[in-house]
Amino acid sequence: MRWVRDLHGKTVIAMAGAAAAIGLLTAVLVIGLGLFNVSARQGHWPGVTWAMHSTFESSVAFRAPPDSEVPDNLDTPDMVALGAGHYKSACMECHGAPGVPRSATVQQMLPEPPSLALVSDHWSAPEMHWIIHNGIKMSGMPGWPAERTDDVWPLVAFLRAQKGMTPETWEAMVDDADGGCAVCHGPDGVSQNAQVPRLDILSEEYIAQSLAAYRDGTRDSGIMYEVMSQRPGASVERLARNFADVSPEGGAAEPSQLAEQGRALAFAEGGSQSVPACRACHGPWPAPINPAFPSLAGQHAPYLEQQLKLWREGNRGGGRAAELMFKAARDLTDAEIAALSAYYAERAPAKLSETKD
Ligand code: HEC
Ligand code: HEC
Ligand code: HEC
């Protein structure tokens, strides 16, 4: 550009100075004097909505995780049901649900939170995962209240299943007449959902310390943190007692070959230095074990695997004794985790004080 080259050095400096002065003046008018109208009733200036939405779309497409991170069990009924339970508490108010409209006030937000009935036509599973974990700046769409990303997938599963869901199906899935825990953990804490731990096998001490750890964020879970944030005054001891008083029922499963391998590991019979004897802390053990330790007998295998992997990655908090588990799980391989989880899951459901070999 010839005219640029012809410009005298001093002229350039003067022009830059003028531009800076105009910028400063605009900033004073907008920030200091309130010239820009922040009213959500006014809508954006022409083009601004388009620019913001396009930025949002490209930002998500650029940052979403690869397809390889989508879990194999994404579209299972258990994942959908867990996602629905959380959606009701954390998302429904803004986005509505099958047969549940958004309130008049929510519809006045700018941008308005859209109905998500058809959202899976527009976004892929990894893109929805990224949006839910990160939220969207300057829109009112909040980020996930935990660091870990694995517990976001049930929400993605639910959004995919929500397309075409009837209000009756939705109602049946999230019926929480008995205090809210049963939506996910089942009546009396006997969870039938393999993604959600059963509570009937646990002691009062362990449940209470876990709830306290979720409440203060020492145990990272976007789902249970939301649950506890909705019950700021609830006594963790009282909540724990409801489940600690239940006697677990049911027998052992026919031991699989995988479980046999797991048993050898849990008893530290394989001579492996990297796997400590799990049974010393989780049973079966001839003498009484510290009741602050969880029973694993009859717990769902997918849940056990998930927790062991969280420990290995360094993101499973808990109570004061959780440090012991960091050491126990640090060197486990995927195969050892699968075997150990199968062994404990196939045992007859029991409290720690009643586990027998
Ligand atoms: C306080 C209100 C609010 C809550 C609570 C909320 N959202 Fe949103 N959400 C929004 C708004 C507003 C947008 C629109 C953002 C935009 O278009 O820029 C949005 C957008 C989205 C989108 C993208 C939709 C699209 O069509 O582009 C998804 C997916 C989403 N939210 C999922 C969720 C989930 C899942 C939850 C619960 C974990 C949730 N939201 C909780 C307000 C909310
Ligand atoms: C929206 C579903 C949902 C609801 C509602 C819910 N939970 Fe949970 N709960 C979960 C999930 C998922 C986990 C596993 C979280 C993790 O990875 O740490 C969990 C974990 C727990 C644990 C830890 C168990 C263990 O073996 O370490 C306890 C205790 C617990 N929940 C108690 C409760 C109580 C009490 C309520 C009701 C006040 C409740 N939950 C409501 C889904 C839910
Ligand atoms: C020295 C004692 C100790 C040993 C050995 C030990 N654990 Fe643990 N484990 C604990 C404690 C304590 C917790 C509870 C931590 C918390 O949440 O506060 C726990 C929790 C767990 C949990 C989570 C249960 C739940 O309901 O969330 C799993 C799974 C587990 N251990 C598996 C194992 C396996 C498998 C081994 C053997 C490789 C093992 N542990 C060895 C002490 C131990």
Side-chain angles (χ1 to χ4, degrees), residues 52-53 56-57 86-87 90-95 106 109-116 119 122-123 128 131-132 136-142 144 155 159:
M52 288 176 78
H53 202 76
F56 158 51
E57 300 239 341
H86 183 76
Y87 184 93
C91 324
M92 186 175 81
E93 192 175 351
C94 282
H95 290 291
V106 160
M109 283 174 67
L110 186 69
E112 180 187 336
S115 155
L116 299 179
V119 70
H122 185 70
W123 295 109
M128 286 192 273
I131 294 173
I132 300 166
I136 308 164
K137 255 187 205 134
M138 294 189 290
S139 79
M141 168 64 196
W144 191 246
L155 273 295
L159 291 184

Side-chain angles (χ1 to χ4, degrees), residues 225-297:
Y225 189 27
E226 167 72 20
V227 169
M228 294 313 287
S229 72
Q230 299 276 351
R231 295 164 176 78
S235 143
V236 292
E237 285 79 17
R238 194 164 325 127
L239 285 171
R241 227 166 289 140
N242 294 338
F243 302 102
D245 288 346
V246 182
S247 303
E249 288 173 8
E254 198 57 48
S256 62
Q257 209 186 344
L258 190 61
E260 294 290 354
Q261 293 164 19
R263 183 183 185 284
L265 287 166
F267 280 60
E269 283 170 354
S272 160
Q273 294 298 309
S274 61
V275 184
C278 317
R279 67 188 283 251
C281 297
H282 295 293
W285 194 253
I289 304 177
N290 186 340
F293 296 175
S295 170
L296 311 179

Side-chain angles (χ1 to χ4, degrees), residues 47-111:
V48 172
T49 303
W50 173 84
M52 288 176 78
H53 202 76
S54 304
T55 309
F56 158 51
E57 300 239 341
S58 0
S59 179
V60 174
F62 181 60
R63 291 181 168 78
D67 283 341
S68 57
E69 284 187 22
V70 179
D72 296 340
N73 65 349
L74 182 65
D75 294 316
T76 56
D78 282 353
M79 290 287 275
V80 174
L82 172 55
H86 183 76
Y87 184 93
K88 179 175 185 181
S89 162
C91 324
M92 186 175 81
E93 192 175 351
C94 282
H95 290 291
V100 184
R102 285 156 294 163
S103 76
T105 301
V106 160
Q107 289 180 43
Q108 290 304 309
M109 283 174 67
L110 186 69

